[in-house]
Amino acid sequence: MKKIHIKTWGCQMNEYDSSIISNLFLLNKKKYCLTDTPFKADVLILNTCSIREKAKEKLFHQLGRWKKIKEKNPKIIIAVGGCVATQEGKEIYNRANYVDIIFGTQTIHRLPNMINEIQKNKTFLIDISFPTEEKFDSLLEPRVSKLSSYVSIMEGCNKYCSFCIVPYTRGVEVSRKCDDVLFEIVSLAKKGIKEIHLLGQNVNAYKGETAYGGICSFSELIELIAEIKEIKRIRFTTSHPVEFTRKIINVYEKVPKLVNFLHLPVQSGSNRILKLMKRGHTISDYKKIISELLLIRPKMQISSDFIVGFPGETKKDFYKTIKLIEEINFDMSFSFIYSPRPGTPASIMKDNETSYSEKKIRLDLLQKRIRKQALNWTKKMMNSIQIILVEGVSKKNISELYGKTENNRTAYFQGLSTMIGKFVKIKITNTFINSVRGIFINYVN
């Protein structure tokens, strides 16, 4: 039996892809098993993201550590996949010729066959092509170990923001067939899943083919998922302001199962910077979406993405971002200093010579502002009644259970193990920045 070790870096899509890889190998339990220990593995798989800074350097540092393992056991197979693999291609092998396989974001389903080929012929293999629909067709019956599950509904992006590598590493937008998505969710529901988290690089651009030759929009897909009785909560990541249509906004009125929490990246509070980023929307466009959502869902909480120090960003531009953060009252954020991704238009833009230390100061100011607002949002939950999907027993206190609120806070409370997997109401008695503590009130029907 071959032992497989999978290391994952990146977004929810990378995590989802790694779960697909796990499924592929566990399909043949007589031949493969998973291990958390790289030293015990026969196959080492690195699934990488290229969005964040120094992703390439991080990759080669990890490969350097695995090289030492392979020197002790030359039979070990090393495979590199994900966005960095698609971006760098054979350059990875040129720098680390002990790597056996390089696979792309759309060829993970071919990995078991590639490993079999390496075991037979011992020759380097690379496949970073873009057979997206073939990948979707190869998705396996989901394995369930939790109460909440990611479901990929589309891949790729057509927006080509000037800073973003995704269209080059994930390809253009390709949507899964509507019936395939629904079949997977029904299968998950039968296995005990209560919460679905829809995934895509630009999830609200979904246009899935129906069995009758029509096209299902993202808003229509949400309504169809909501009809599945066992699914009690629906989330999605990541959406784009340009395609956050009126129909999607209206769905929040029609579908109570959609949570009161939305991640909608804006990137900057300056229209000048948004234009350089080629985002395709203005600050007023963004504010209009939020204001219309709040008319329908007054308790809606918003999180976003922010890039600090984009080429040409001045202090004035930055403080416009801070102003927007305060106006929208964002709850959470993913924020980082801009770093050029090779091959993107922004990578050749001239910076205004803002020092890196100044960019770090700006990022710190932004993150402190967000943390303050997040803490205020959590404090507002004090004495409120929250609906919790109970996920399990607390690792820190076996007399307590834990679960997630709609706004992504981890909630702790004393309860019985029979509550696990059910929705309960708790009254919040204590609050922290990312978690709350409460007392059990009753079950949710």
Side-chain angles (χ1 to χ4, degrees):
M1 182 177 288
K2 299 293 182 183
K3 294 180 180 179
I4 310 292
H5 174 75
I6 305 170
K7 190 172 187 66
T8 309
W9 290 330
C11 63
Q12 292 100 328
M13 189 62 78
N14 288 85
E15 295 288 346
Y16 183 80
D17 283 349
S18 288
S19 71
I20 294 173
I21 294 170
S22 298
N23 285 355
L24 288 168
F25 288 107
L26 292 178
L27 186 66
N28 190 343
K29 291 185 178 180
K30 292 182 179 180
K31 189 173 182 180
Y32 297 108
C33 66
L34 301 179
T35 176
D36 293 329
T37 309
F39 298 98
K40 295 180 179 179
D42 300 290
V43 181
L44 297 170
I45 301 171
L46 183 57
N47 183 20
T48 66
C49 176
S50 63
I51 298 297
R52 299 302 168 88
E53 186 179 9
K54 299 180 180 178
K56 185 176 175 181
E57 290 84 349
K58 188 177 178 182
L59 163 71
F60 286 107
H61 287 154
Q62 180 61 52
L63 289 179
R65 290 189 283 271
W66 282 359
K67 180 183 179 182
K68 294 176 182 178
I69 300 175
K70 187 158 185 171
E71 285 173 348
K72 294 180 180 179
N73 181 8
K75 292 184 179 180
I76 284 178
I77 294 172
I78 297 178
V80 179
C83 296
V84 173
T86 305
Q87 177 185 321
E88 299 297 325
K90 198 172 181 179
E91 180 61 28
I92 294 172
Y93 179 77
N94 293 338
R95 280 187 58 178
N97 62 6
Y98 47 89
V99 170
D100 300 286
I101 295 169
I102 296 173
F103 61 99
T105 56
Q106 309 306 334
T107 54
I108 58 177
H109 58 289
R110 298 176 180 175
L111 188 54
N113 288 336
M114 295 174 78
I115 289 172
N116 289 338
E117 187 66 24
I118 288 290
Q119 288 171 337
K120 292 177 183 177
N121 300 320
K122 302 293 181 183
T123 56
F124 167 73
L125 291 176
I126 180 170
D127 187 348
I128 52 174
S129 56
F130 285 86
T132 306
E133 291 186 10
E134 180 185 314
K135 173 186 172 180
F136 284 148
D137 290 342
S138 302
L139 294 181
L140 302 172
E141 179 79 10
R143 291 186 302 112
V144 176
S145 58
K146 297 181 181 179
L147 301 167
S148 178
S149 180
Y150 290 118
V151 174
S152 177
I153 65 169
M154 65 176 299
E155 291 231 13
C157 185
N158 294 347
K159 295 295 171 286
Y160 288 92
C161 298
S162 64
F163 58 84
C164 188
I165 196 69
V166 165
Y168 308 97
T169 59
R170 292 271 179 183
V172 297
E173 292 170 358
V174 178
S175 298
R176 284 180 73 185
K177 293 177 181 178
C178 176
D179 286 358
D180 290 349
V181 173
L182 295 174
F183 179 80
E184 180 176 348
I185 294 173
V186 168
S187 297
L188 288 166
K190 288 179 179 178
K191 294 174 183 290
I193 290 293
K194 305 289 179 66
E195 179 181 85
I196 291 297
H197 195 140
L198 304 175
L199 285 183
Q201 274 74 36
N202 184 15
V203 73
N204 51 335
Y206 176 82
K207 295 178 181 65
E209 183 182 339
T210 68
Y212 304 101
I215 296 296
C216 176
S217 69
F218 183 58
S219 57
E220 290 167 335
L221 178 67
I222 289 174
E223 291 186 60
L224 290 170
I225 294 169
E227 291 177 11
I228 301 171
K229 183 180 177 181
E230 296 86 353
I231 301 302
K232 305 298 184 182
R233 273 187 187 168
I234 304 171
R235 302 180 187 269
F236 58 86
T237 309
T238 292
S239 50
H240 194 291
V242 168
E243 287 176 299
F244 211 97
T245 63
R246 182 73 231 182
K247 285 185 178 181
I248 295 174
I249 293 170
N250 290 341
V251 151
Y252 279 89
E253 193 166 22
K254 297 178 183 178
V255 181
K257 290 182 179 183
L258 260 181
V259 297
N260 268 337
F261 190 89
L262 170 66
H263 183 73
L264 185 60
V266 65
Q267 306 298 355
S268 174
S270 165
N271 282 328
R272 190 178 72 85
I273 296 301
L274 290 179
K275 189 173 182 179
L276 290 173
M277 288 179 170
K278 295 186 177 180
R279 287 289 289 167
H281 65 87
T282 65
I283 294 305
S284 61
D285 295 332
Y286 188 89
K287 287 181 179 179
K288 184 180 179 183
I289 294 168
I290 302 303
S291 63
E292 289 179 353
L293 279 170
L294 290 175
L295 286 175
I296 295 171
R297 299 276 190 98
K299 295 182 180 180
M300 175 79 76
Q301 289 172 238
I302 312 295
S303 69
S304 191
D305 292 348
F306 297 98
I307 296 175
V308 172
F310 189 79
E313 182 190 75
T314 63
K315 279 190 177 181
K316 185 177 180 180
D317 293 317
F318 172 71
Y319 281 106
K320 284 182 179 179
T321 300
I322 295 297
K323 182 183 178 183
L324 179 69
I325 288 171
E326 293 172 348
E327 287 179 359
I328 300 294
N329 195 17
F330 287 106
D331 179 21
M332 299 176 181
S333 78
F334 295 99
S335 52
F336 48 94
I337 294 172
Y338 169 77
S339 60
R341 302 269 73 85
T344 60
S347 66
I348 58 173
M349 287 182 182
K350 187 177 180 180
D351 207 341
N352 60 358
E353 298 184 358
T354 302
S355 66
Y356 189 74
S357 60
E358 169 63 23
K359 292 175 183 180
K360 287 176 69 176
I361 291 170
R362 292 179 189 179
L363 180 65
D364 186 56
L365 285 171
L366 186 151
Q367 291 178 339
K368 282 180 178 176
R369 180 71 244 183
I370 291 286
R371 281 196 295 271
K372 182 179 179 180
Q373 292 178 186
L375 182 58
N376 288 338
W377 273 112
T378 311
K379 285 179 178 178
K380 289 179 183 178
M381 298 170 70
M382 189 70 177
N383 295 320
S384 69
I385 304 298
Q386 298 288 324
I387 296 175
I388 310 298
L389 174 55
V390 186
E391 296 181 23
V393 177
S394 169
K395 293 180 181 179
K396 294 182 179 180
N397 185 346
I398 59 172
S399 69
E400 286 189 333
L401 302 176
Y402 76 94
K404 277 286 196 303
T405 63
E406 280 198 33
N407 61 351
N408 281 330
R409 266 58 174 185
T410 302
Y412 298 93
F413 66 99
Q414 289 193 335
L416 303 173
S417 60
T418 51
M419 295 177 180
I420 295 172
K422 295 181 172 63
F423 282 91
V424 301
K425 290 181 180 180
I426 68 169
K427 182 177 181 180
I428 305 303
T429 57
N430 208 348
T431 61
F432 311 92
I433 188 167
N434 294 317
S435 64
V436 293
R437 183 163 270 105
I439 55 174
F440 172 77
I441 302 298
N442 54 34
Y443 288 94
V444 178
N445 294 328

